[in-house]
Amino acid sequence: MIFDTFQQGQSMFLWLTFGIALIMGAVVNKTNFCTMGAVSDWVNMGDTGRMRSWLLAIAVALLGVVVLEYFGKLNPDASFPPYRSGQLIWAENLLGGLMFGVGMTLASGCGNKSLVRAGAGNLKSIVVVLIIGVIAYYMTNPFPNSDKTLFSVLFNGWIRPLAINVGPHQDLGTLLAGAQNAVKARLIIGGILGLALLVYVFKSVDFRNNRDLILGGLVVGLAVLAAWYVTSNVSVLVDGSRHTLLDYGQQWDFLANSDAGKPADIMPLSPQSFTFINPMGQMLGYGASGFTKAFLTFGIMAVLGVAAGSFLWSVVSRSFRIEWFASFKDFVTHVIGAVLMGFGGVLAMGCTIGQGITGVSTLALGSFIAFFAIVAGSAITMKIQYMIMMREA
């Protein structure tokens, strides 16, 4: 996708993102695709249907990414956030994942599910999204009249020194085969892992007979893959040379005639796919800017698209319902969950979609750590909730 001007390319970049997210939001609403629900069904009832749907999404995204990257159509090495960074922030992935898993259980759903429920009229989820947005924003942006962030005050001094330098990239292909053979190794490793997941997923007769579970996993996986493709392939033609949007932004002073239309931050122009915690923080910055176009990013369009898609499906299916907190205890529980998701999602560098599908599709070691930590945090919380419920009974 080649455009004559940066503005044309950026516009396509943003609107395609919104369109993909719109479809994903509608399908997630229709099929009840829910990662927290997947863990709940598995832990509490031994039902692996929705977990298989989640794994199907991972398999589809993973297979698509390694194949397209092999043919030079994707560039996850330069992604935002930097999943394959040589700095393995394992402690942040682990702690953040655990916090996020606990938080999504207390708040009745992950970031993506909260957006879907908000679009369908759930006011509780709107409160959750707003709290996540505030926490995520100040985890990465300084407080007013200060150079301090929540991350620098609470975490940086003790957790960042635990990071390990693993070389040029932390993906399994690079770690096992070296940088020169990484692309081919990713294709082999991703192919084996993706096909193994597909075999496991479709081994279940109940899953094969449930169209919603298949549709949900397939569409979410394809949406993640489509976003990777779009953000890796929008470019601008300048004097016969192609420039990615990120490259154009980095060379703005040399390629552009003026600062008109220049983004406030060029990193969100990098190749990327869906994640929802940091973008909720970006939404706060976008609003604080007076909804200035310079602050409009992939993440913001993704958030708006998912909520809009869910809203449209809820209207079409007549399932739109206004819902509020059942009690003050319910309110407090959701607030605590939202705070934990805000902190955890930024620390882990993603959520159940952002790390559990998008990150894993890059084969980044940190993404696997975050994924398993999220599942563990959620499962442990559910077990504790069950024990408390039985004791009260």
Side-chain angles (χ1 to χ4, degrees):
M1 293 176 282
I2 307 174
F3 298 89
D4 294 329
T5 68
F6 175 85
Q7 287 72 20
Q8 291 174 345
Q10 184 191 34
S11 180
M12 180 61 70
F13 178 95
L14 294 174
W15 282 112
L16 283 176
T17 299
F18 180 83
I20 297 168
L22 186 81
I23 295 171
M24 183 166 73
V27 172
V28 167
N29 188 330
K30 179 195 181 304
T31 62
N32 196 26
F33 181 93
C34 178
T35 51
M36 192 278 289
V39 179
S40 176
D41 291 349
W42 170 51
V43 170
N44 295 324
M45 297 178 288
D47 182 353
T48 60
R50 285 198 283 184
M51 181 63 74
R52 290 174 192 267
S53 186
W54 188 3
L55 295 177
L56 173 58
I58 294 173
V60 170
L62 174 57
L63 289 169
V65 166
V66 295
V67 170
L68 290 180
E69 184 179 16
Y70 182 77
F71 288 104
K73 300 298 182 181
L74 298 183
N75 184 23
D77 282 350
S79 70
F80 175 76
Y83 294 110
R84 290 178 177 171
S85 168
Q87 285 293 111
L88 177 61
I89 52 173
W90 65 271
E92 293 167 53
N93 294 140
L94 180 61
L95 177 60
L98 289 170
M99 292 175 70
F100 190 88
V102 175
M104 76 173 188
T105 306
L106 297 178
S108 305
C110 66
N112 177 61
K113 191 64 176 182
S114 295
L115 290 171
V116 170
R117 285 181 170 156
N122 191 312
L123 301 181
K124 296 194 294 184
S125 294
I126 293 177
V127 172
V128 168
V129 168
L130 290 174
I131 293 173
I132 291 174
V134 171
I135 298 295
Y137 181 81
Y138 285 113
M139 278 287 282
T140 55
N141 292 276
F143 301 114
N145 303 316
S146 170
D147 61 351
K148 301 292 186 181
T149 66
L150 280 173
F151 179 80
S152 67
V153 171
L154 299 176
F155 300 101
N156 186 65
W158 65 272
I159 202 168
R160 187 50 60 89
L162 299 176
I164 301 173
N165 190 329
V166 296
H169 299 292
Q170 64 173 273
D171 64 277
L172 299 182
T174 302
L175 293 176
L176 296 177
Q180 292 184 338
N181 302 309
V183 174
K184 186 176 181 180
R186 291 165 190 159
L187 180 65
I188 296 172
I189 296 169
I192 293 173
L193 180 57
L195 291 175
L197 287 174
L198 289 179
V199 170
Y200 169 76
V201 165
F202 286 102
K203 184 179 180 180
S204 168
V205 176
D206 290 338
F207 183 83
R208 293 200 304 269
N209 292 332
N210 192 316
R211 293 182 179 179
D212 273 356
L213 291 178
I214 295 174
L215 178 64
L218 184 62
V219 170
V220 171
L222 287 175
V224 168
L225 179 60
W228 272 122
Y229 182 83
V230 167
T231 58
S232 296
N233 288 282
V234 174
S235 58
V236 183
L237 190 65
V238 181
D239 296 329
S241 299
R242 290 181 58 176
H243 299 269
T244 65
L245 294 182
L246 176 62
D247 181 54
Y248 192 102
Q250 290 172 332
Q251 302 184 59
W252 189 277
D253 292 338
F254 300 99
L255 300 176
N257 296 322
S258 69
D259 285 342
K262 184 178 181 180
D265 184 3
I266 63 171
M267 290 311 297
L269 298 173
S270 305
Q272 61 196 291
S273 191
F274 293 109
T275 187
F276 294 101
I277 301 304
N278 187 267
M280 290 179 187
Q282 293 173 19
M283 282 288 296
L284 181 63
Y286 180 50
S289 75
F291 302 102
T292 305
K293 186 178 179 181
F295 288 83
L296 199 56
T297 65
F298 170 96
I300 292 172
M301 296 301 279
V303 167
L304 294 175
V306 166
S310 176
F311 171 75
L312 289 176
W313 177 256
S314 68
V315 171
V316 170
S317 62
R318 298 182 180 179
S319 59
F320 185 88
R321 296 288 185 277
I322 300 297
E323 183 178 349
W324 187 241
F325 298 101
S327 63
F328 182 72
K329 179 181 178 181
D330 187 36
F331 169 77
V332 172
T333 301
H334 277 75
V335 168
I336 295 173
V339 170
L340 288 173
M341 279 199 287
F343 281 116
V346 174
L347 275 178
M349 212 169 68
C351 53
T352 54
I353 302 293
Q355 283 285 33
I357 301 178
T358 297
V360 168
S361 73
T362 70
L363 291 174
L365 181 56
S367 297
F368 286 95
I369 295 173
F371 169 75
F372 289 116
I374 289 171
V375 174
S378 181
I380 292 170
T381 304
M382 289 174 189
K383 286 294 186 181
I384 293 174
Q385 287 178 326
Y386 180 77
M387 290 171 59
I388 294 175
M389 182 182 68
M390 294 301 296
R391 181 175 299 176
E392 291 176 347

